Amino acid sequence: MRRLLIGLVTGAMFVAATACGSSDAPEPDSAGPDKASGGTTTVKVGVIPIIDVAPLYLGQKKGFYRERGIELSLTSAQGGAAIVPGVVSGQFDFGFSNMTSLLTAQSKNVPVKAVVNGVASTGKEGADFAELAVKKGSPLKSAKDVEGKKVAANTLNNICDTSTRESVRKDGGDPSKVDFVEMPFDQMQAALDGGRVDAACVVEPALAGIKAKGGTSIASLFFDVSPDLTVAMYFTSQKYAQQDPETVRKFQEATAESLEYADSHPEEVREIITTYTKIPGPLVETLTLPRWPAEPDRPSIERLAELGEQDGLFEQAPDLDKLLP
């Protein structure tokens, strides 16, 4: 428990050091919802500057949150593993995290609660929004080739680890021999080009940048876990859920509407992405968009839990009934 608390504090400090505001909402001075002008409630959300969270930015622009009396204050961090301690400490009211990080947190009795779906695999092998990518001319041709090699992951012990290992395992390689190197998604292309890593577990829009320079995909990581994989969800702390269930309900409703809208308006998604990522305009049309279903796919989450246990990520099995809405 002492190690866990130290990890939470360290993670929260990391988020604070790397965060950058990305909305016009005023930053509150203390944890918890903050009343903005007009009687709206400002809620702080920890996100990652990747394509996955486009529905939040789009929903904010379309007024789905404002209609329910919510203003979003969006702050960027490196990954879900860093956002979890930020939510638990009260730095964020809600956060976006991959499912493996949430499962890991729950297995350690970290008080988190998933509240609404986040993003899902396209279900198309070789055409997903996340791939195991290599640079142009790489000798690596399939997942088993990364055995004994360095693979970039945005944070360690998250869904990149789990899915990469599964791809390697399915391709006949030894997943225990993969050497993961932590770095932000937007640094992976340079790391590949410079030879600091041999492959990268990378998502859009960084994936499009790698492919634009001749890089290729050697495995569809999320598809290998489950074609209908629920990759990430939005979550809060158990304390916040108990103290302000009304705001949680409004956030759930507004986010569900945002997910549905994003799923049916791909061109607006591509447009909004340019407002919070570093992707050049010409690359936007080449992006592979994920799916944004309103509901999570529980069997795929159960599969992630099985793989996490198999790879030794959990000291005890996570309780999905306590984690999921």
Side-chain angles (χ1 to χ4, degrees), residues 46-57 75-80 83 96-98 119 129-130 154 158-160 183-188 201-207 222 231-232 234 269 272-279 287-290 292:
V47 295
I48 314 170
I50 54 178
I51 195 172
D52 308 35
V53 298
L56 251 63
Y57 289 88
T75 301
S76 293
Q78 184 165 319
I83 293 173
F96 176 86
S97 175
N98 71 86
V119 68
F129 75 104
N154 67 314
N158 80 350
I159 199 167
C160 269
M183 67 181 63
F185 287 120
D186 61 7
Q187 293 180 17
M188 291 182 183
C201 168
V202 63
V203 302
E204 298 285 20
L207 177 59
F222 295 164
V231 176
Y234 295 95
V269 168
I272 203 74
I273 290 166
T274 63
T275 67
Y276 69 91
T277 73
K278 299 177 182 178
I279 186 169
L287 296 176
T288 298
L289 300 183
W292 287 290

Side-chain angles (χ1 to χ4, degrees), residues 212-233:
K213 294 192 68 175
T216 57
S217 165
I218 59 173
S220 293
L221 305 165
F222 295 164
F223 179 90
D224 284 343
V225 174
S226 173
D228 296 317
L229 182 64
T230 293
V231 176
M233 293 184 69

Side-chain angles (χ1 to χ4, degrees), residues 39-304:
T40 59
T41 298
T42 298
V43 295
K44 300 162 290 180
V45 188
V47 295
I48 314 170
I50 54 178
I51 195 172
D52 308 35
V53 298
L56 251 63
Y57 289 88
L58 193 54
Q60 183 169 239
K61 179 180 178 181
K62 303 299 293 187
F64 300 152
Y65 293 91
R66 195 174 306 110
E67 289 170 3
R68 294 170 173 84
I70 292 177
E71 286 290 339
L72 299 182
S73 175
L74 303 173
T75 301
S76 293
Q78 184 165 319
I83 293 173
V84 168
V87 170
V88 173
S89 69
Q91 181 182 356
F92 304 131
D93 303 314
F94 298 94
F96 176 86
S97 175
N98 71 86
M99 290 311 304
T100 297
S101 291
L102 289 177
L103 290 166
T104 300
Q106 205 292 315
S107 74
K108 296 179 179 179
N109 294 316
V110 177
V112 294
K113 180 70 176 179
V115 295
V116 64
N117 202 28
V119 68
S121 165
T122 64
K124 299 176 181 178
E125 187 172 13
D128 209 350
F129 75 104
E131 301 279 340
L132 184 61
V134 296
K135 69 178 180 180
K136 182 179 180 180
S138 171
L140 308 184
K141 303 302 180 184
S142 68
K144 67 180 179 181
D145 292 339
V146 303
E147 180 182 313
K149 305 296 183 180
K150 293 182 178 180
V151 176
N154 67 314
T155 55
L156 300 182
N157 297 322
N158 80 350
I159 199 167
C160 269
D161 304 38
T162 304
S163 57
T164 298
R165 290 192 180 103
E166 179 66 355
S167 291
V168 172
R169 185 182 292 115
K170 283 189 169 183
D171 199 36
D174 185 347
S176 68
K177 294 183 178 179
V178 180
D179 181 14
F180 291 99
V181 179
E182 185 174 85
M183 67 181 63
F185 287 120
D186 61 7
Q187 293 180 17
M188 291 182 183
Q189 180 178 319
L192 285 171
D193 292 342
R196 297 194 301 278
V197 296
D198 303 291
C201 168
V202 63
V203 302
E204 298 285 20
L207 177 59
I210 291 173
K211 289 182 175 179
K213 294 192 68 175
T216 57
S217 165
I218 59 173
S220 293
L221 305 165
F222 295 164
F223 179 90
D224 284 343
V225 174
S226 173
D228 296 317
L229 182 64
T230 293
V231 176
M233 293 184 69
Y234 295 95
F235 69 102
T236 189
S237 66
Q238 292 178 5
K239 179 180 179 181
Y240 188 93
Q242 293 168 358
Q243 289 183 343
D244 199 345
E246 183 65 11
T247 298
V248 172
R249 181 187 64 78
K250 291 177 179 179
F251 180 82
Q252 287 173 318
E253 291 178 353
T255 302
E257 184 175 5
S258 299
L259 293 170
E260 182 179 2
Y261 189 88
D263 220 29
S264 57
H265 294 79
E267 292 311 309
E268 291 187 47
V269 168
R270 295 182 191 278
E271 181 180 347
I272 203 74
I273 290 166
T274 63
T275 67
Y276 69 91
T277 73
K278 299 177 182 178
I279 186 169
L283 285 182
V284 170
E285 293 304 317
T286 70
L287 296 176
T288 298
L289 300 183
R291 291 185 302 117
W292 287 290
E295 299 295 331
D297 181 79
R298 181 163 178 138
S300 73
I301 299 173
E302 292 172 348
R303 179 58 180 155
L304 279 175

